[in-house]
């Protein structure tokens, strides 16, 4: 029997979306307010979903305490109250869009989970804008 376990987390972070080679005008055209050269913040909401067989003995797909700790170590600690462009090495040469943030989070968490567990990351940049990544 398979089940999906979800864990929610939250972090605040600043970012700027831009392409180095473009002018501020061109960046503003494509990225809008998210291209403000002085950066701006978002309240990111994260849902990490882990799907797998329910262990007949423990009744768990994954120990939620362990999942909580992994999310804290790999996402909240390095991202919360940070400037993603400047302080998080993964975004040094990668635009910190919600898509790319979800991919970076997925890659970090994937390494910490058993191979037979399916991982989905859902990242809300605002209440209405969110992205799902499954490693495809
Ligand atoms: Ni933004």
């Amino acid at each position: 029997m398979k089940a999906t376990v979800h864990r929610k987390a939250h972090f605040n972070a600043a970012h700027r979306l831009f392409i180095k080679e473009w002018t501020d005008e061109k960046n503003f055209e494509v990225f809008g307010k998210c291209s403000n050269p002085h950066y701006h913040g978002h309240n990111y909401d994260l849902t990490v979903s882990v799907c797998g067989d329910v262990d007949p003995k423990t009744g768990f797909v994954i120990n939620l305490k362990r999942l909580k700790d992994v999310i804290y170590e790999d996402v909240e600690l390095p991202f919360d109250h940070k400037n993603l462009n400047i302080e998080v090495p993964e975004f040094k040469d990668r635009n910190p869009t919600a898509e790319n943030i979800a991919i970076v989070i997925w890659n970090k968490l994937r390494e910490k989970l058993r191979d037979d567990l399916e991982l989905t990351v859902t990242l809300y940049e605002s209440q209405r804008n969110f992205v799902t990544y499954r490693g495809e």
Side-chain angles (χ1 to χ4, degrees), residues 15 34 40 42 125:
H15 78 165
C34 275
H40 63 279
H42 289 280
E125 191 173 72

Side-chain angles (χ1 to χ4, degrees), residues 13-33:
H15 78 165
R16 180 193 178 198
L17 301 183
F18 72 112
I19 308 289
K20 269 183 211 148
E21 300 78 40
W22 292 358
T23 61
D24 283 355
E25 289 72 27
K26 169 84 173 164
N27 276 308
F28 188 79
E29 247 177 67
V30 174
F31 299 114
K33 287 194 288 188

